[in-house]
Amino acid sequence: MIKKLLQRVFNPGKKKTGKKPADNPHQNAQIIPRRIHGIDRKLLSSAALKTTEGLQKAGFEAYIVGGAVRDLLLNHAPKDFDIATNATPEQVNRIFRRSRIIGRRFRLVHVMFGSETIEVSTFRGSHLAESDHAKTAESGRILRDNVFGNQEEDALRRDFTANALYYDPASEQVLDFHNGVADIKAGVLRIIGNPETRYREDPVRMLRAVRLSAKLGLKLDKATAAPIPKMADLLKDVPESRLFDEMLKLFLSGHAMESARELRKHGLHHGLLPLLDVVVEQPVGERFVNLALKNTDERVLSEKPVSPSFLFATLLWHEVLTAWNRIQAQGERPIPALHMAMTEVCDIQAEKLAIHKRYSSTMREIWGMQPRFEQRGGKRPYSLIEHPRFRAAYDFLLLRCESGEVPAELGQWWTDFAHADGEARAAMLLPDTQPKKRRRRKRSKPAGGSQSSSEPAA
Ligand code: ATP
Ligand code: MG
């Protein structure tokens, strides 16, 4: 009984299903041996190896696929390993004790080994067969494509030839259905199939083309690049949350500068972020954005943490400045005007990019603290320096100085102040010209109604 059970657990694929065996799915693949591809098996994570071994032992096919194979061929360290298999999610789940099925429509399995998680997906087929599992919008955009298929079909629905390579660590062979190895060796990023159809199916592929070519130093193939400017508008139909995730990947890849330049070159910047739309046309704005991107790239490359809030605060700052000036020119006082400008910019972005509240509240703090750096007398600098966001707001101020928006002397003053001790700090203070905070008059409680508190003075 137990033996039977174990057999069922470990060999679920051996169960007779009555299905006819698939045609040989490898017949259209080039089989590339180690001698040619040169991938060093030692660069694989042990979790990835254990996952392919576990699946293969249970009688299934299992390959490392996608970005990891591409990165290994390019001598980049892969940041994660994805695995493709002919086992269903339930079968994968039964093989690995520490695994769980995730996603409802698009089901994958996460297999956990220590702190590493390996994503295992079942070979997927064409989205064209309209069913409960596959659906396409009138525009050609894929709404659902969770149909199982064979390996050849799985390769066909991937985006670029370089991303459709399957590496079997056991045989050390790479299966290549679309000439991806040759493209990588030639330094080319090429979309699989008809570029226009593939962008219509999923417009995010245009952003991926730009991001991956910038990140990997691959040149976009001519036919892959050609339709992008005229199809850029299709990005409008993509759900904002997906667009936001892609923008984060783009800007936090360590190649933000290059990516931004490429986005512009391919006409993809319109409507994505106003920074790339308008700001680049203003010399100070462009300088500020470039400095912010350079700063982010340097942090990513030296493995320092980068905060999306800080990055987006920089990217949108010149939008805020423009609105701030406009609202002040209409007669509003500076601080309320700044808060109105921040709300305006965040509202526009929330519509376009779904910048999450979690990020936008930090962005607002960073922006809102900027005028407080001008106040260098009395007790104010002491309380500002104790603010939990001081470091981020100060880094932001330094970028403003470097871009020429505010005098360098202001940033230097704060650097010195932060490093000085008690007495030196006191000696640095400037005459306090700011009006003292008005004390609130004690009022007798209004009958019934609650008191509304006003925005704290900045
Ligand atoms: P990165 O290094 O940024 O992770 P990646 O290519 O691995 O790049 P993922 O988003 O991790 O990107 O996707 C894994 C794989 O899934 C890709 O290599 C590709 O084969 C496939 N893929 C991802 N997005 C798409 C898409 N929009 N259309 C078709 N295939 C895709
Ligand atoms: Mg990846």
Side-chain angles (χ1 to χ4, degrees), residues 380-435:
R380 291 186 173 95
Y382 294 97
S383 60
L384 186 56
I385 215 161
E386 293 304 326
H387 193 289
R389 295 267 179 242
F390 173 78
R391 183 71 215 194
Y394 161 77
D395 284 346
F396 195 89
L397 172 73
L398 293 188
L399 282 177
R400 293 174 63 212
C401 294
E402 217 180 324
S403 73
E405 181 210 324
V406 287
E409 173 269 328
L410 182 63
Q412 190 56 50
W413 190 91
W414 279 96
T415 306
D416 296 341
F417 190 74
H419 288 106
D421 58 19
E423 270 181 36
R425 274 190 182 175
M428 286 178 70
L429 294 177
L430 305 188
D432 192 2
T433 51
Q434 293 290 325

Side-chain angles (χ1 to χ4, degrees), residues 103-107 124-148 157 200-203 205 239 242:
R104 285 215 294 166
R105 290 234 171 87
F106 179 76
R107 282 155 19 104
R124 283 160 66 202
S126 165
H127 61 275
L128 291 174
E130 183 96 3
S131 73
D132 284 352
H133 303 286
K135 196 168 173 23
T136 310
E138 245 171 61
S139 64
R141 189 162 66 86
I142 297 176
L143 300 174
R144 251 197 322 274
D145 66 339
N146 198 18
V147 189
F148 295 146
R157 56 162 293 286
R200 214 166 284 124
E201 283 171 3
D202 180 6
R205 288 175 186 150
R242 209 172 152 222

